Amino acid sequence: MTAGGWVMLIIIWGFIISLTVFCMRTVLRLRDVEMDHIKPMLEIDTGDLDEQDKEKEE
Amino acid sequence: MDGAIAWNHTTGVDIDVPRENWASRMGIILAVAGSAVGLGNFLRFPVQAAQNGGGAFMIPYIIALLLLGIPLCWVEWTMGRAAGSRNHGSGPGILNVFWNHRLSRYFGALGIFIPLMIYFYYVYIESWCLAYSWFAISGSLGSAAGSNNAGDFLSAYQGLKENQWFSGISEAYIFFIITFFVNFFFIYLGVAKGIETISKIAMPILVILGIVIMVRVLTLGAPDIAKPDWSVNGGLGFMWNPDFSALADAKVWLAAAGQIFFTTSVGLGLIITYASYLKRDDDVALSGLTSISINEFMEVVIGASIAIPAAFVFFGPVGIRDIAAGGAFNLGFVTMPMVFSQMPMTAALGFMWFFLLFLAGVTSSISMLQPGIAFLEDEFSLSRKQSVGLLSAVSFFAAQPAIFLLDKGVLDLMDFWAGTFAIVLFATGEVIIFGWIYGIDRGFDQLHHGADIRVPKFFKVVIKYVTPAYLLIILGYWSYQSGLDQLLLRKVSAENFPYALGTMLGMALFLAAIIAAVEMAWRRKETS
């Protein structure tokens, strides 16, 4: 293979592989973010807010 | 599953019809990529590149990818998702959402016609791959190829001649039945359980098999000490050494555009159908780009590194030119068995190669059935069982000419009209409806709804002006170059003329029947 052939191969493979890696990485990262997003918030009912609400009403 | 409002023709009331959705984002990405990755990635692409300027071919190829493949992919994903939320999953309904006119429905019938017509012959070729993977393991293919009889082996398998390996078409027919059943089995299971499951299993296997064979080929070196030029390096050079003078030839640019069409599955009516099973707020910009990038990886990196370099190593710089001129099928089913017969682990490599092609075929062919299924389910409210039953019966009978009239030119005609001309025509219509009738600004907003990446504004201009112009040039050139010859059957021999005429009439009748079904479906909606 000539030097021109190697240059073409490296440029084209570089473009295609970079595009594929970028897309796959973004999709997989976003999947993690989406999973965090849909997890329910941690809810611990300590009752202090109810007391504060009552105080405000009074 | 999300509910969608549909009209019940029997009761005449709106009903909440649960429309299927993809179970995961990776599921649809792999399904669309699987639909695109087919025999063309491993056989057609390397032949096209080698015949059209080697490395220089990649310049018009990448330009066509950026100006045709990726924009059309985004258009189809966007149109499909939008129409899916209105309970339409096939060409007529999808185009009608973007252009509320009767003509859009009739034109959209191409989105059902094209994939089914291609399926009628593709499933038979796909069955060859399954059969050949079996023959590779059983050793009969290796012995035939080892004695330079791979061509006779293929002809006898196809029923075109009789010899020591086959005395009729019975084996080919059995493998056709198995392949046909496998396709409809996954279609019957549905979008998430069937198509998504097979895509998630088949695509990783496909990638692994491709990489294993690629590594084996790239480490062949120069096996014959007496012929140091017959090497992998030389084979890669045959594929990649640029001949920039080829860029002055318009045919090279059109060949590159044609290859992008064949490889990305745009214009076939498949992506719009798959995208219709997305949820309303799902991303299409990144998912579309990801599916197309996987396909390009399989084609340009893996596909380009197997068949041509391997054939070069064993047939040399003179032999490879004849092989490339012989076309993709010859390369896959005649040359490659001969190549593997000269390598260690003949049976294993042969099996891996043909099973890879079979998996690539299956993920493509099931996508060709889904538009028809979606049409029957969405527009006629048929159950999946009824839709699959009806479509399997039609497909089974329509696939017979490609099997029994193989040497009568039937397959070539179907391939030109459905697999070449109609897909460019359909894509042209889609992009004009999206960019001009619906409007590029609204279309671009739709594309960005729920998007995980921003598409550069440059693509607004591309989708509105460049892609349609590019498509019209291709359409005009192909019509000028071979359209009239094909239409008037000028190149068909007198012996094959009745078969060719029958095929043309059959295709016209099939398209007319789909258009009539579209009309019937909309009339039922209007009168109920």
Side-chain angles (χ1 to χ4, degrees):
Chain A
M1 184 148 77
T2 62
W6 281 113
V7 169
M8 291 305 295
L9 185 145
I10 289 165
I11 291 172
I12 301 297
W13 277 26
F15 172 67
I16 299 290
I17 292 171
S18 304
L19 182 66
T20 311
V21 169
F22 163 77
C23 289
M24 289 300 290
R25 203 178 63 171
T26 313
V27 166
L28 293 172
R29 276 185 180 177
L30 282 170
R31 189 172 65 174
D32 295 338
V33 172
E34 282 163 9
M35 289 307 291
D36 288 341
H37 179 69
I38 61 171
K39 279 178 195 164
M41 286 173 65
L42 190 61
E43 285 182 17
I44 301 170
D45 189 5
T46 57
D48 15 344
L49 285 175
D50 292 341
E51 286 178 14
Q52 284 178 8
D53 287 342
K54 278 180 188 172
E55 283 172 12
K56 278 180 188 173
E57 282 172 13
E58 285 168 3
Chain B
M1 287 193 291
D2 277 1
I5 301 298
W7 190 253
N8 185 316
H9 301 298
T10 313
T11 60
V13 293
D14 279 342
I15 51 169
D16 190 30
V17 177
R19 199 162 189 276
E20 270 198 285
N21 287 126
W22 298 97
S24 67
R25 181 181 196 170
M26 196 49 83
I28 183 179
I29 289 172
L30 290 179
V32 174
S35 162
V37 175
L39 306 185
N41 292 57
F42 302 97
L43 300 176
R44 194 177 187 277
F45 170 74
V47 168
Q48 287 289 314
Q51 284 177 345
N52 291 289
F57 176 78
M58 296 312 297
I59 294 172
Y61 178 87
I62 294 291
I63 290 172
L65 175 69
L66 294 173
L67 300 182
L68 283 180
I70 292 174
L72 280 169
C73 177
W74 278 327
V75 166
E76 293 202 350
W77 276 75
T78 306
M79 291 177 101
R81 181 190 57 178
S85 65
R86 291 162 181 81
N87 219 30
H88 294 292
S90 57
I94 293 172
L95 294 196
N96 199 231
V97 166
F98 283 80
W99 181 27
N100 189 14
H101 192 282
R102 158 188 301 239
L103 279 179
S104 70
R105 299 197 291 267
Y106 297 158
F107 185 76
L110 281 175
I112 302 165
F113 170 80
I114 295 168
L116 282 177
M117 283 305 300
I118 296 174
Y119 180 81
F120 296 155
Y121 61 85
Y122 193 91
V123 66
Y124 183 46
I125 297 165
E126 184 186 321
S127 73
W128 300 356
C129 302
L130 180 64
Y132 265 55
S133 58
W134 168 252
F135 297 144
I137 282 289
S138 65
S140 58
L141 180 62
S143 69
S147 52
N148 285 339
N149 286 315
D152 287 341
F153 187 90
L154 178 63
S155 298
Y157 174 74
Q158 292 168 338
L160 304 179
K161 63 162 69 168
E162 289 186 14
N163 55 28
Q164 66 269 40
W165 293 293
F166 304 104
S167 57
I169 204 168
S170 55
E171 282 93 342
Y173 207 77
I174 290 167
F175 279 102
F176 161 73
I177 297 280
I178 294 170
T179 308
F180 190 88
F181 176 77
V182 167
N183 276 281
F184 273 96
F185 173 72
F186 285 109
I187 281 293
Y188 179 72
L189 289 180
V191 171
K193 283 185 185 169
I195 299 171
E196 188 166 343
T197 304
I198 182 68
S199 301
K200 280 180 169 175
I201 296 168
M203 284 305 287
I205 297 174
L206 195 72
V207 174
I208 292 167
L209 285 178
I211 290 174
V212 168
I213 300 172
M214 183 179 85
V215 169
R216 182 68 197 98
V217 169
L218 294 182
T219 52
L220 277 172
D224 191 341
I225 302 164
K227 296 167 184 164
D229 292 344
W230 294 25
S231 64
V232 170
N233 194 34
L236 287 173
F238 186 73
M239 272 291 305
W240 289 97
N241 287 346
D243 171 15
F244 290 110
S245 65
L247 295 181
D249 188 350
K251 283 182 185 172
V252 171
W253 290 80
L254 288 162
Q259 180 58 29
I260 285 297
F261 252 97
F262 288 116
T263 192
T264 52
S265 281
V266 291
L268 289 166
L270 312 179
I271 295 175
I272 49 173
T273 292
Y274 272 8
S276 74
Y277 295 100
L278 283 167
K279 296 189 187 89
R280 204 183 166 134
D281 299 324
D282 281 345
D283 156 85
V284 292
L286 177 62
S287 299
L289 192 63
T290 307
S291 66
I292 216 166
S293 70
I294 293 172
N295 175 65
E296 289 308 309
F297 176 79
M298 294 301 291
E299 175 156 299
V300 178
V301 179
I302 296 180
S305 306
I306 298 177
I308 289 284
F312 187 95
V313 168
F314 294 101
F315 295 94
V318 178
I320 193 72
R321 291 185 194 285
D322 295 335
I323 288 166
F329 282 121
N330 199 47
L331 175 67
F333 292 95
V334 178
T335 308
M336 289 308 284
M338 289 160 76
V339 167
F340 292 132
S341 73
Q342 297 180 56
M343 291 163 66
M345 298 193 302
T346 300
L349 280 169
F351 170 78
M352 282 196 279
W353 168 250
F354 286 108
F355 198 65
L356 173 147
L357 294 183
F358 175 67
L359 287 179
V362 166
T363 50
S364 298
S365 60
I366 55 174
S367 71
M368 294 170 197
L369 293 170
Q370 191 57 33
I373 297 286
F375 176 65
L376 294 172
E377 285 184 337
D378 298 336
E379 314 304 350
F380 283 98
S381 305
L382 295 188
S383 68
R384 179 155 281 263
K385 195 175 179 181
Q386 291 169 321
S387 308
V388 168
L390 183 60
L391 201 69
S392 60
V394 170
S395 303
F396 186 79
F397 287 107
Q400 304 306 311
I403 300 170
F404 292 102
L405 303 175
L406 189 67
D407 57 339
K408 308 293 183 195
V410 168
L411 200 147
D412 293 338
L413 268 176
M414 291 163 82
D415 188 46
F416 176 80
W417 286 109
T420 306
F421 185 82
I423 60 173
V424 183
L425 183 66
F426 188 58
T428 309
E430 280 178 332
V431 79
I432 289 174
I433 288 172
F434 185 84
W436 290 84
I437 297 174
Y438 184 69
I440 189 63
D441 291 328
R442 292 165 71 199
F444 223 63
D445 288 344
Q446 282 275 355
L447 167 62
H448 279 105
H449 179 76
D452 287 327
I453 53 168
R454 296 294 304 172
V455 175
K457 281 188 179 172
F458 156 77
F459 279 101
K460 255 186 174 180
V461 180
V462 171
I463 291 170
K464 183 156 186 181
Y465 300 104
V466 182
T467 308
Y470 210 144
L471 288 167
L472 288 169
I473 290 169
I474 297 170
L475 205 58
Y477 181 80
W478 281 354
S479 303
Y480 168 76
Q481 189 191 35
S482 29
L484 207 58
D485 284 346
Q486 292 276 2
L487 190 66
L488 301 175
L489 304 174
R490 281 178 184 157
K491 290 182 178 172
V492 176
S493 67
E495 184 196 346
N496 289 343
F497 191 83
Y499 300 104
L501 191 62
T503 306
M504 293 284 283
L505 287 174
M507 284 193 290
L509 277 175
F510 187 56
L511 180 59
I514 295 173
I515 292 173
V518 170
E519 178 64 23
M520 193 193 299
W522 259 261
R523 277 196 184 175
R524 281 164 58 107
K525 283 180 186 178
E526 284 163 8
T527 54
S528 328

